[in-house]
Amino acid sequence: MSHDLDFNDSHLLQVIEDIYAYGFDHQNWDKPLEGLCRLLRAKSGGLFFLDHKKRIFRALGVYNISEEFIEKYKQLGALDATATVMIPLPEGAARAAIDYNVSRTEHVDFYDKILLKANLGYIAALNICNHENYFVGIGIHRGMESEQFSKDEVKVLERLYSHFRRVFETADILERLKQKEAILVHLLSKVPLGIVLVDASLKVHYQNDLAYSLMKQDLGLSISKNNSLLGADTESLKRLKSLVIQAAEDDGKDVSVHHSPILFPSLNEHPLSVTIAPSPIESSLYSPDLVPLYISHPLVASFVSVDMLQAIYPLTKAEAEIVILLLGGSTLNDITSVRGSSKQTVRSQLKSIFSKLNVSSQQELIRYLITGSLNLVG
């Protein structure tokens, strides 16, 4: 048999090439399995997934296995003696796992309901992923009229392990990145502010719907054809770029670059406001080289919750609630009555709010918020 393997070395290289060419999206394992079965003179083969906790059994890819068998396997996967043999073994282990002559007596249900029905006499298997919660492995099959897989043929499976494993790991990383990107887009689309993620050169990597709408209205800030921010006022744009570079370099830790809005004059009497602030979205969902900008305009009213105030400004829950009461026209007496707090307590909280937002009076606070990135009042 070793002579046959030497003769088929080019076929082995083709199998390896197919693993990388077709495996990355986890959607087309059939082609590599076909090449593997032809290389090792197997009649059929499959890449199988078993979820131990959920008791899910399914084929991720197959060669020369009928749809009927795949559907049966979903129901009968728990009977698969191949998994019983292979799961105790480490990842990368390969074995001539099943001989129908043995299974006829030792795994009766497996023999009667799977092997006999599909004329599977011998199975060689390879462990690819063997985790606590799930198992992924390859099984290639010969009929009962054939012969068991030799040690040399099993070694070929072992040689392929590193390639299968590398593709699985890379595909899993890509899948997680896709999921994180989808989560990011979903979360940012829900934020009631225009949000743009830019790099240090002010190139735009993401904008939510509100930001897109604002920058399409000739309000002082727009996006060029090469996806970079353009400002009608060059000085404001230079200041914004300087702060973005600073925020990117300190990974958002320097609060001095946060909260103070940059105003972009426009043909409209009201300026467009841009603020650099810590993102309300978990930073691990996007590249650390990107800086979130909040973009808004007094003509665009945003209804902002306590949570959103806390996401934009370094306020406690109580302080954010007081800010919303002030914006609603409440007086100091109203606030003490609504909150059941003493005037001294509310004054102390106001003092903390003024300090955090760098204002010195209630009037200045309200004006700051109206013209700043929240634009709570239209």
Side-chain angles (χ1 to χ4, degrees):
M1 184 64 203
S2 59
H3 172 74
D4 289 338
L5 287 178
D6 291 339
F7 179 78
N8 287 320
D9 247 6
S10 62
H11 294 166
L12 176 60
L13 292 175
Q14 183 62 54
V15 171
I16 293 171
E17 182 179 327
D18 289 344
I19 290 171
Y20 289 102
Y22 294 95
F24 276 116
D25 60 1
H26 281 347
Q27 299 299 315
N28 190 4
W29 287 106
D30 297 2
K31 183 68 174 178
L33 287 169
E34 178 182 355
L36 178 60
C37 288
R38 292 186 185 279
L39 175 67
L40 297 181
R41 300 184 302 172
K43 60 173 272 187
S44 58
L47 177 64
F48 298 99
F49 171 88
L50 288 75
D51 186 312
H52 302 309
K53 290 187 176 180
K54 297 180 180 179
R55 306 300 294 168
I56 295 174
F57 307 89
R58 69 172 184 265
L60 302 179
V62 296
Y63 167 66
N64 201 29
I65 297 178
S66 68
E67 289 290 335
E68 181 183 3
F69 178 86
I70 293 172
E71 288 303 313
K72 281 184 179 179
Y73 185 79
K74 292 178 183 178
Q75 307 299 322
L76 302 175
L79 301 176
D80 191 348
T82 314
T84 304
V85 172
M86 297 303 294
I87 286 175
L89 303 177
E91 293 177 347
R95 291 287 187 278
I98 297 297
D99 181 328
Y100 79 100
N101 294 298
V102 176
S103 295
R104 182 161 28 194
T105 56
E106 294 188 4
H107 312 109
V108 176
D109 285 341
F110 174 59
Y111 175 81
D112 288 340
K113 297 180 179 179
I114 296 180
L115 297 184
L116 198 57
K117 296 287 185 182
N119 183 27
L120 302 181
Y122 306 93
I123 301 177
L126 168 67
N127 287 357
I128 297 176
C129 301
N130 196 355
H131 294 176
E132 180 182 350
N133 296 329
Y134 67 90
F135 172 85
V136 178
I138 287 176
I140 56 173
H141 320 125
R142 285 176 179 165
M144 294 180 179
E145 71 286 353
S146 190
E147 59 184 9
Q148 181 61 284
F149 292 90
S150 69
K151 290 182 179 180
D152 285 340
E153 289 169 324
V154 170
K155 285 181 180 178
V156 172
L157 279 179
E158 289 179 343
R159 288 174 64 185
L160 292 174
Y161 164 71
S162 62
H163 304 289
F164 278 108
R165 181 68 189 186
R166 192 173 295 121
V167 169
F168 260 83
E169 288 177 346
T170 305
D172 286 343
I173 291 170
L174 292 174
E175 184 62 28
R176 286 196 295 271
L177 288 174
K178 288 178 183 178
Q179 290 173 356
K180 287 172 72 173
E181 181 181 0
I183 292 170
L184 173 65
V185 171
H186 173 73
L187 292 177
L188 291 182
S189 70
K190 301 301 181 184
V191 176
L193 291 168
I195 291 187
V196 178
L197 296 179
V198 298
D199 59 27
S201 69
L202 295 188
K203 183 175 181 180
V204 176
H205 291 258
Y206 171 83
Q207 57 179 322
N208 68 357
D209 290 342
L210 183 53
Y212 176 82
S213 175
L214 288 171
M215 289 192 286
K216 280 289 187 181
Q217 296 183 45
D218 196 21
L219 296 175
L221 195 66
S222 60
I223 298 179
S224 69
K225 290 182 179 180
N226 65 352
N227 252 19
S228 295
L229 287 182
L230 293 176
D233 182 70
T234 55
E235 289 303 314
S236 296
L237 193 66
K238 285 180 181 178
R239 182 176 171 226
L240 176 62
K241 185 173 183 178
S242 174
L243 291 178
V244 166
I245 291 172
Q246 186 179 342
E249 288 177 348
D250 66 27
D251 197 23
K253 295 182 178 66
D254 184 359
V255 296
S256 66
V257 303
H258 298 153
H259 314 307
S260 183
I262 300 171
L263 303 180
F264 284 82
S266 66
L267 297 176
N268 186 287
E269 61 176 310
H270 301 288
L272 190 75
S273 170
V274 180
T275 301
I276 299 175
S279 174
I281 308 304
E282 182 186 350
S283 60
S284 65
L285 291 174
Y286 57 85
S287 169
D289 297 328
L290 301 182
V291 174
L293 306 179
Y294 293 81
I295 300 179
S296 58
H297 190 273
L299 295 179
V300 181
S302 297
F303 298 93
V304 181
S305 66
V306 168
D307 288 341
M308 183 54 62
L309 274 171
Q310 288 185 273
I312 307 297
Y313 302 110
L315 302 173
T316 66
K317 183 174 184 290
E319 290 167 350
E321 290 171 347
I322 289 173
V323 168
I324 289 176
L325 288 171
L326 285 172
L327 286 165
S330 296
T331 65
L332 182 62
N333 288 334
D334 293 333
I335 294 172
T336 58
S337 176
V338 168
R339 296 188 56 77
S341 303
S342 67
K343 286 187 179 180
Q344 183 178 355
T345 298
V346 174
R347 284 195 180 102
S348 176
Q349 290 168 323
L350 279 172
K351 186 177 179 180
S352 175
I353 293 169
F354 294 166
S355 174
K356 289 177 178 179
L357 301 188
N358 196 27
V359 297
S360 56
S361 67
Q362 294 181 35
Q363 292 76 17
E364 190 178 350
L365 170 66
I366 293 171
R367 183 168 60 253
Y368 171 83
L369 292 171
I370 290 174
T371 60
S373 286
L374 285 181
N375 286 317
L376 293 171
V377 180

